[in-house]
Amino acid sequence: MVQKVAVITGSSKGLGYAIARQLAQKQDIQVVLTSRNQQDGFAAQQKLANENMQVNYHPLDVTNDASVQEFATWLEQSYGRVDILVNNAGVNPTMEPEESSLFTVQMETMLATFTTNVVAVARITQALLPLMKANNYGRIVNVSTEMASLTSMGSDYYPLAPSYRLSKIGLNGLTAILAKELAGTNILVNAYSPGWMQTDMGGSNAPYTADEGAETAVYLATLPEGGAQGKFFAEMRKFGGAIALPW
Ligand SMILES: NC(=O)c1ccc[n+]([C@@H]2O[C@H](COP(=O)([O-])OP(=O)(O)OC[C@H]3O[C@@H](n4cnc5c(N)ncnc54)[C@H](OP(=O)(O)O)[C@@H]3O)[C@@H](O)[C@H]2O)c1
């Protein structure tokens, strides 16, 4: 059986690790765990091995062009294919006091947030798309947030968080643009909101676990041919199924 190769960015902890773990439980998927810190990556790989899940590991800093190019070459030489890309790696400076208002937000922070949450997603996607196109198969999952929904921007209860929100709006836009470019192919790209989760980013007061947040990513990573293209999904747990959110 030819296994599908699944790459998850930032998967040594948090949501990325939970997604890697759930995908690794599927017989037909070979997971490639990635992280910018090798020690963290090997530790996560070992944790999964202790649960009898054999995943591969490779270092990857999505903001570093050389790292992304080296990773793409390694994937091509190791597998000659990529079937699933989960763009999970992200940063969130919302707890910084300046992030409580657009009047005080620091431009350096905004730029750094865009660099990881938008530009880096464009970079890794561009680098790996040829390995999907070669087989006319791909599932790309962009981890967004309901804080990026312009429709509920004026009424939701979340912090203002200008840098984070604007960056994830950018990520949603990237999803829509890429979907248009991929129309008519069997490469499907979608964004989703995993909900507020107990991770280093979400903190311990969050209502959901990373495992719960991972469910929708796994659904989108394994969509059948003809499945959703260019949509923004809510976490399935909240609605008992796959529901597209308004942009
Ligand atoms: N937690 C929530 O409530 C929540 C809600 C909505 C959406 N999200 C989204 O879910 C995703 C995962 O967040 P999380 O909650 O799991 O947060 P997390 O525990 O802070 O994990 C973030 C991950 O991204 C990695 N990362 C950051 N910059 C990177 C880079 N340049 N290259 C490679 N990896 C990088 C981190 O690696 P290091 O360990 O090296 O820093 C870490 O593995 C993010 O996109 C976030 O915006 C989270």
Side-chain angles (χ1 to χ4, degrees):
M1 177 173 55
V2 179
Q3 282 191 307
K4 291 190 169 64
V5 174
V7 170
I8 304 100
T9 66
S11 43
S12 64
K13 67 173 185 179
L15 178 65
Y17 177 80
I19 295 170
R21 185 172 172 277
Q22 287 183 28
L23 287 175
Q25 284 162 16
K26 298 193 180 288
Q27 293 291 316
D28 61 336
I29 294 179
Q30 170 64 58
V31 164
V32 179
L33 198 129
T34 67
S35 67
R36 54 184 167 178
N37 179 305
Q38 285 210 41
Q39 229 176 332
D40 292 348
F42 284 129
Q45 183 189 32
Q46 187 56 51
K47 246 169 80 181
L48 292 174
N50 294 345
E51 286 191 78
N52 279 327
M53 285 177 244
Q54 309 308 325
V55 305
N56 210 340
Y57 169 74
H58 200 81
L60 174 67
D61 179 344
V62 288
T63 60
N64 181 314
D65 205 43
S67 170
V68 169
Q69 293 312 322
E70 191 276 331
F71 179 58
T73 304
W74 175 82
L75 280 170
E76 183 164 24
Q77 287 169 356
S78 308
Y79 300 107
R81 62 189 299 137
V82 172
D83 302 279
I84 295 166
L85 169 62
V86 182
N87 287 310
N88 164 79
V91 292
N92 183 352
T94 300
M95 296 316 282
E96 293 176 22
E98 297 84 4
E99 288 289 327
S100 61
S101 162
L102 193 63
F103 299 159
T104 56
V105 70
Q106 301 291 298
M107 298 309 137
E108 296 74 24
T109 308
M110 191 178 273
L111 261 177
T113 310
F114 266 76
T115 298
T116 303
N117 294 1
V118 190
V119 180
V121 174
R123 176 184 292 109
I124 183 79
T125 305
Q126 200 178 64
L128 301 195
L129 262 173
L131 292 168
M132 292 184 168
K133 282 187 176 158
N135 299 308
N136 189 32
Y137 183 95
R139 301 291 179 261
I140 302 172
V141 184
N142 292 333
V143 182
S144 185
T145 165
E146 57 189 347
M147 289 171 77
S149 171
L150 286 168
T151 308
S152 55
M153 191 71 61
S155 56
D156 72 27
Y157 58 87
Y158 294 114
L160 278 176
S163 294
Y164 187 62
R165 283 189 194 250
L166 286 169
S167 72
K168 294 292 187 177
I169 290 167
L171 178 65
N172 284 358
L174 182 155
T175 306
I177 291 170
L178 187 57
K180 185 164 185 205
E181 287 208 80
L182 293 172
T185 72
N186 187 22
I187 303 177
L188 304 175
V189 57
N190 292 284
Y192 92 104
S193 165
W196 184 20
M197 301 166 295
Q198 298 143 17
T199 62
D200 285 352
M201 187 185 291
S204 54
N205 289 332
Y208 301 117
T209 63
D211 258 329
E212 290 172 316
E215 287 164 11
T216 314
V218 172
Y219 166 79
L220 294 172
T222 54
L223 281 174
E225 191 165 354
Q229 175 71 290
K231 298 275 190 297
F232 176 30
F233 284 91
E235 67 268 30
M236 293 168 69
R237 157 191 11 94
K238 199 159 156 182
F239 300 97
I243 300 283
L245 283 168
W247 292 109

